[in-house]
Structure formats: C-alpha cells, structure tokens
Amino acid sequence: MSRLSFGIAVLLASGGVFAATPEWVARSDAYTQPVLKDTGKYQPEESTELGDESFDTGVADFKPRDYERQLADTEKRLQALRRERAAEKDVKVRQDLDILIDSREKLIASMKLERQYLLNYVNVGELVYGGLRALLDTRNKPARQKLALVRLKRYAGTESGYTPMATLVRARTEERLANKGLIGPYVGEVEEGLNNNATYMNGIEELLKKDGLSGWEADFAALKAQVKAYDEWVRSRILPRARKEVRLPEPVYVNRLVNVGVDITPGQMIERASFDFQEVRDQMQVVAGTIAAQRKLLSPDYRDVMRELKKTSIPADQLLPYYRERLKDIEGIIRAHNLVTLPAREANIRTASPAEAARTPAPFMNPPRMIGNTGEYGEFVIPLANPNAKSKERMDDFDYAAVSWGVTAHEARPGHELQFASMVEQGMSVARARFAFNSANVEGWGLYSEALVLPYMPPEGQLAALQIRLLRMARAMLDPMINTGRMTPEQAKAFLMKEVVLSEPFAQSEVDRYSYRSPGQATAYYYGYVKLRALKTLAEIELGERFNLKAFNDFIIAQGILPPELMKQAVLEDFIPAQKAAK
C-alpha cells in the first residue's frame, strides 16, 4: 500500500525547499532499483500505485509460464542481493539489503506455498478497476491520467500485440483447474466479486468521464463485455470448485501471518488477544458507567451506552466538515501536550466513491505516491455504506460524533496521514519505505496514535475509541479462530455485533476480511500496537527522567515503515544513546 522512493532530492515540509539525498540512501536505492523493476515486470499496476511512472502503461503478466518466470527471476535476484550484502561495508546500507533479502525470501516462500495448495481466483473486474483508478487518481497530473487510455486498450486487447486480460487470466486458471488436488477459492469471495463487478465497471466509467478524457468509449465497451463474459465463465467453472469451508491450509495461513509482521502462532495470538479483549472491555465498562450517570441513562452497560452514542449520527452532507473540525481539536491536543511534531499544512479528508466502498468498506488512508513524489499527500477516505452488506441495515459505525475522535487520530493525525507525509517530506531509502512495509508496522502506529490522544478526549470519545481498540483485540482473536476452524464466519459476525456493538454491514465486512479478503492481516493492528507500546516502555525504563515523549514519537515517525524488530534496533542503538548523550 504505502511505498516511497526518491531520486536526487525530496520536498521538505516547509515547501519548495529541497535537501540532498544522503550518500547511503543513494547507495541503497541503487541496490533496490532492480528489485523494483522485478515488481513492475509482473505487477505493473502495483508499481503505478507506488508512483513508478515507467510502468504506467503496463498490465499484469498472465502470459504462459508466468509463475515459473517470476519465481526464476526472484530467485536470481535473491542470490544477487546476498552477494551484494556480503561485499557492502556501510551499516545502514547492509540493513537495507537485509530488508530486500527478507522480502525476496518471503515472496518465494509465499509463491511456492500458494502454488502447492491453492487454485487462485482472479477477479478481472477488480484488477482492471484498480489499475485504471491508480492512473486516474485526481492527485496525478493530466499527462499521467491520460496514460489510462493506453492501459485500457491493453486490458481490452484492442492494441496490436495484446491479448485481452480476461482471456489470459482464464487460460492460466484453466491450466490449474486440471489439478483436482488444489483447494478452490472460498465461495463467498467469488460471489462477492461477481456482485461487485458492475460497480467496478461503473466506477471506471465515472473516473474516465470525470477526468475529461476522450476516445475511450469503444475500448471500455470491449473491456466491459469481456468482464461480463469472464464472470459467466467464473459462474460455470470456478463456482463449482469453490470451497464451502472458509479456513485456509494451516501452512498458508501461518505464512500470511508472517507476511503481515506477526511472528507468533495462531494459538498464541488467540490467547494473548483474548486476555486483552477482556481488559479493554472492562475499561469500556468504567467509562460507560460515567457517561450513563452524567446522561441519566437507564443502563450503564457499555453496549447500551454505545447504542445511545450512535444515535447522534451526522448527516452525510455535514460529515466532512465535522471530521475536519475534529482534526483541528486533535491537533490542538497534540500541540498542547507535546505529543508529536505536526506540519503546518492541512490534511486531506474526503468520502469514498461507491466503487471504493465496495473495495474497502471501512475508513482508510489512500497513500500518496511514493516514487517521484512532487508534493502529493495521502487522503483520509470515509465510506458512507458497505455495498457488500447482507441486509439493508445502515452502517452507523463511523458517522456519529463520538467515534470521530478515534477514527481521525488513527487515519489522519497523529496516525497514517502524518506517518506517510513524514516519509514524503523527510525522504528515506526505497528499501525502508517499500520493502520493509508490513501491516504490523503501519497499523501498529495507527492504533498507537489513538492511544496517544485518548487521555485527552471527552468521555464519549474515549468510549468510542476504546470500542475501536476492542475491535482490534477481537480481530486478533476471531481471524485465527476462523482460519483454524474454531469458529464460523457467522458466529464471528454475531459476536462482533453483540460484544463490539458493530452494525450488521460493518460486522459483515469484518468477517469477509478474515475469511477471504485478507486472512491474517487484521491481526497485525493488535500485534504492531503491542510491539510499539512495549518498545516505548523499554525506552522509558532506559532513559528514566530523560525520556521525552515527543522526541520518541518523532524518532519513530522519522524511521519510516520499519518492521518491529528493526524499529526496536533503531531505538536501542540510535534513539536511546542519542538521548543519553544530549542530557
């Protein structure tokens, strides 16, 4: 999701002022460039999201022997990186080479495991929507947006030398269908993809019209027809092979945990998170009792108090102004209590389109481009509904007054918006910004940010923020419980609605996430948060009265997106000694 690369200079927070790239960063980036090119060769859409314009007209490689070719290239790159690591003398550059080596080792392990066990399902409608949306992003310059017309032609196969994407994906999948030992995709994933593709096609058309491009109509009509035909093939060939049992093979699930930064077993995760779930629920009960007494509510139970808070819904046309005002409140708290350094500019907040909501039915950070950034920043995006809901119940989880405190702290400031903006403004090696990335280090900071602001929120804001934290504990329990067969998605959904007080649409999006959207990823919030809070405690013990919270948080932000173990190393070897020397 979030990646970063720079050439000779980076834009600083003051605006228009440039600083030279440190020599070690330039050396590191030179080692990283071939790895970036490998990514672009097979997944150019991902490179587009990174900001690497050299792949903006490319399309995903589903030509014959795509797996064998990518695996061979990755193994060759890994050997080259190991040789370079052995010869490199600079400590920081060696650390970046370790990051690159680890990323290649994980990619190879993942490719082999999924090839061994799974019949992969590719939703062509979602694939082409993502690839075109990345180019049609309003933050891109018009010349880059126009390249979407080239990618569109190549997706549709209307350019000479290109086969329709739907035809290539179908051919590769047919090859795998012959292996009866492979486990099919989860039936819910396939059905959701089929249901959402009309929304994705409408989303593409709206983006093309919005950007004022011309000459795309025939190519888009061809692509739309191809996606429709592909979906019919999916119904006849993939749905019969889809598995009814949601759980993944254990080696595949454990590998996915590793890839998001979790290095403990599913059983250990369940045990730890179950304990913390009880702790947070007890904290909620204390705060709920205070609110119930103040408001003279009939019930002090946290579930009933949360339902009362949700009644203060904000009309859709007032939601953005409300969140912007809440951000100002939080920024005032941050400055008053010296929590972290803030930039002078305002953060970007907007609501999601229907296609974006279908793809990500919860508040999210749309990161800035991380390669070739010229001042673009991330966007805090708020969906107003979940198109994948199983009922007509309203999603009331993000549009009431109290919840705006925790959501804004997580997605905007001091959370993800500040996290990614710091990377853009300070600059850092591509390896640290792109290949050290995992959900634990990103989402750990988001949840940590909520905790920074929570003591200064009003009681209603505290209760809603604790509810968000409770959800993260629930995720860390339920995701592995579903994927180890200890709970069904239906049971998990009922638990979320009863104990975490989620609406039906949001609870549905949560269990979809654990079941097939991204099994294992939801556990990373909790795990990254635990690691970061433990690291803060360690620094406090080491420094005693010399510990400075703002200095610690600024240091963490300045490291970019480092995995927990590398972040710990940086704190122990750089931050703590520097603080001791400065006092």
Side-chain angles (χ1 to χ4, degrees):
M1 258 179 75
S2 38
R3 296 108 182 173
L4 171 65
S5 173
F6 292 91
I8 298 175
V10 294
L11 182 66
L12 297 182
S14 53
V17 181
F18 289 79
T21 300
E23 182 180 351
W24 78 267
V25 172
R27 286 183 57 78
S28 171
D29 286 356
Y31 288 126
T32 307
Q33 285 304 311
V35 186
L36 286 173
K37 298 305 178 187
D38 288 347
T39 299
K41 182 178 179 181
Y42 294 98
Q43 290 91 31
E45 294 89 350
E46 180 179 334
S47 296
T48 293
E49 290 196 14
L50 291 172
D52 188 344
E53 297 184 13
S54 63
F55 291 100
D56 278 355
T57 58
V59 297
D61 184 351
F62 285 96
K63 295 187 288 292
R65 295 185 58 80
D66 55 334
Y67 169 81
E68 291 82 2
R69 290 183 287 107
Q70 184 177 5
L71 181 61
D73 285 348
T74 307
E75 290 176 334
K76 182 179 177 180
R77 185 68 57 209
L78 175 60
Q79 295 307 315
L81 290 167
R82 286 171 173 165
R83 290 192 298 270
E84 291 161 346
R85 170 64 172 79
E88 179 57 52
K89 304 300 182 185
D90 186 283
V91 174
K92 288 187 176 180
V93 178
R94 285 205 307 269
Q95 189 177 56
D96 278 10
L97 283 164
D98 287 338
I99 289 169
L100 295 173
I101 288 169
D102 180 66
S103 75
R104 298 305 87 188
E105 289 174 340
K106 285 179 176 175
L107 176 58
I108 290 168
S110 298
M111 289 181 67
K112 289 182 176 180
L113 270 173
E114 305 229 344
R115 186 76 170 181
Q116 176 184 351
Y117 287 100
L118 304 181
L119 172 66
N120 286 329
Y121 158 66
V122 177
N123 183 8
V124 172
E126 185 173 5
L127 187 157
V128 299
Y129 166 75
L132 294 170
R133 182 199 57 79
L135 287 170
L136 296 169
D137 192 310
T138 55
R139 294 170 293 179
N140 290 337
K141 292 181 173 57
R144 195 172 188 221
Q145 293 173 335
K146 194 173 182 179
L147 294 176
L149 301 182
V150 179
R151 182 170 277 175
L152 173 59
K153 282 181 175 294
R154 295 178 176 181
Y155 279 148
T158 55
E159 180 179 324
S160 177
Y162 285 83
T163 302
M165 179 61 62
T167 301
L168 289 172
V169 173
R170 176 173 171 174
R172 300 291 78 75
T173 310
E174 286 282 9
E175 293 168 356
R176 300 282 287 158
L177 277 167
N179 186 342
K180 301 302 182 183
L182 296 176
I183 300 169
Y186 177 56
V187 63
E189 176 184 11
V190 181
E191 290 173 344
E192 181 183 294
L194 293 170
N195 292 335
N196 280 343
N197 281 338
T199 302
Y200 290 138
M201 292 300 103
N202 290 338
I204 292 171
E205 187 172 12
E206 289 170 8
L207 287 169
L208 289 165
K209 290 178 178 178
K210 184 177 180 180
D211 285 352
L213 299 175
S214 60
W216 51 268
E217 290 80 2
D219 296 321
F220 175 71
L223 177 64
K224 189 174 181 179
Q226 292 160 7
V227 170
K228 184 177 179 181
Y230 177 81
D231 285 351
E232 290 303 315
W233 173 81
V234 167
R235 288 187 176 91
S236 65
R237 296 286 284 150
I238 301 299
L239 268 180
R241 282 286 297 272
R243 68 182 191 273
K244 306 300 188 292
E245 168 62 48
V246 67
R247 64 191 294 190
L248 287 167
E250 185 177 353
V252 174
Y253 180 68
V254 170
N255 180 66
R256 293 194 180 187
L257 289 178
V258 170
N259 284 334
V260 299
V262 174
D263 56 8
I264 59 175
T265 67
Q268 289 171 321
M269 177 66 76
I270 293 168
E271 182 178 28
R272 292 188 188 185
S274 297
F275 171 81
D276 284 330
F277 182 89
Q278 295 284 348
E279 294 290 293
V280 174
R281 192 163 60 176
D282 289 347
Q283 292 176 51
M284 288 184 69
Q285 194 58 60
V286 173
V287 179
T290 300
I291 296 171
Q294 290 175 344
R295 296 190 173 200
K296 296 180 172 54
L297 300 178
L298 294 177
S299 170
D301 185 87
Y302 77 91
R303 304 167 188 83
D304 295 326
V305 177
M306 281 298 307
R307 294 186 185 100
E308 286 295 319
L309 295 182
K310 284 189 171 190
K311 292 178 181 178
T312 60
S313 61
I314 305 162
D317 62 344
Q318 298 176 27
L319 195 62
L320 281 182
Y322 194 92
Y323 266 93
R324 290 187 177 118
E325 286 301 312
R326 178 64 69 237
L327 178 57
K328 291 180 181 178
D329 295 335
I330 291 175
E331 288 176 331
I333 289 170
I334 292 170
R335 293 189 178 98
H337 297 280
N338 292 314
L339 300 182
V340 70
T341 300
L342 290 173
R345 59 172 181 78
E346 293 185 358
N348 298 322
I349 309 176
R350 65 176 177 84
T351 54
S353 69
E356 287 176 319
R359 207 178 190 202
T360 310
F364 62 94
M365 169 53 54
N366 186 24
R369 62 181 293 180
M370 293 301 183
I371 296 178
N373 191 293
T374 57
E376 300 92 343
Y377 289 96
E379 300 173 315
F380 168 23
V381 185
I382 309 169
L384 299 179
N386 175 15
N388 306 312
K390 298 296 190 291
S391 76
K392 296 189 181 299
E393 183 181 334
R394 189 174 68 85
M395 189 168 73
D396 61 1
D397 303 273
F398 310 111
D399 64 355
Y400 64 100
V403 79
S404 62
W405 287 95
V407 172
T408 303
H410 183 106
E411 300 293 349
R413 295 174 181 170
H416 294 324
E417 193 276 343
L418 183 61
Q419 185 179 41
F420 289 114
S422 177
M423 295 167 65
V424 169
E425 293 165 348
Q426 296 185 49
M428 62 187 58
S429 68
V430 181
R432 291 169 188 252
R434 161 62 178 93
F435 293 104
F437 172 91
N438 63 41
S439 292
N441 50 40
V442 175
E443 299 301 349
W445 174 260
L447 194 47
Y448 175 87
S449 296
E450 296 171 25
L452 279 178
V453 181
L454 188 143
Y456 313 105
M457 298 176 185
E460 291 81 1
Q462 290 181 341
L463 183 62
L466 286 170
Q467 184 231 15
I468 295 173
R469 188 184 299 177
L470 188 71
L471 171 60
R472 276 45 175 267
M473 311 301 125
R475 286 173 172 173
M477 292 189 306
L478 302 181
D479 189 305
M481 290 180 78
I482 286 175
N483 283 284
T484 54
R486 293 170 60 175
M487 178 177 273
T488 67
E490 293 75 21
Q491 290 170 330
K493 180 178 176 180
F495 181 89
L496 288 169
M497 293 175 67
K498 179 177 183 291
E499 300 297 334
V500 191
V501 203
L502 300 189
S503 68
E504 185 280 331
F506 189 34
Q508 184 65 52
S509 75
E510 283 293 309
V511 297
D512 290 349
R513 183 178 192 171
Y514 317 154
S515 302
Y516 59 86
R517 281 184 174 272
S518 189
Q521 188 272 338
T523 66
Y525 293 73
Y526 166 75
Y527 198 63
Y529 173 65
V530 168
K531 289 284 190 178
L532 190 50
R533 292 279 280 190
L535 185 56
K536 175 175 173 283
T537 302
L538 187 153
E540 289 176 347
I541 292 170
E542 286 287 328
L543 292 171
E545 294 183 356
R546 290 175 290 186
F547 178 81
N548 181 284
L549 178 60
K550 184 177 182 181
F552 176 80
N553 292 334
D554 284 350
F555 179 85
I556 296 295
I557 279 283
Q559 304 314 300
I561 302 173
L562 283 182
E565 287 308 308
L566 289 181
M567 189 68 79
K568 181 178 180 179
Q569 181 182 337
V571 169
L572 292 177
E573 296 180 3
D574 297 330
F575 177 72
I576 291 175
Q579 292 295 298
K580 287 181 176 179
K583 298 292 184 178

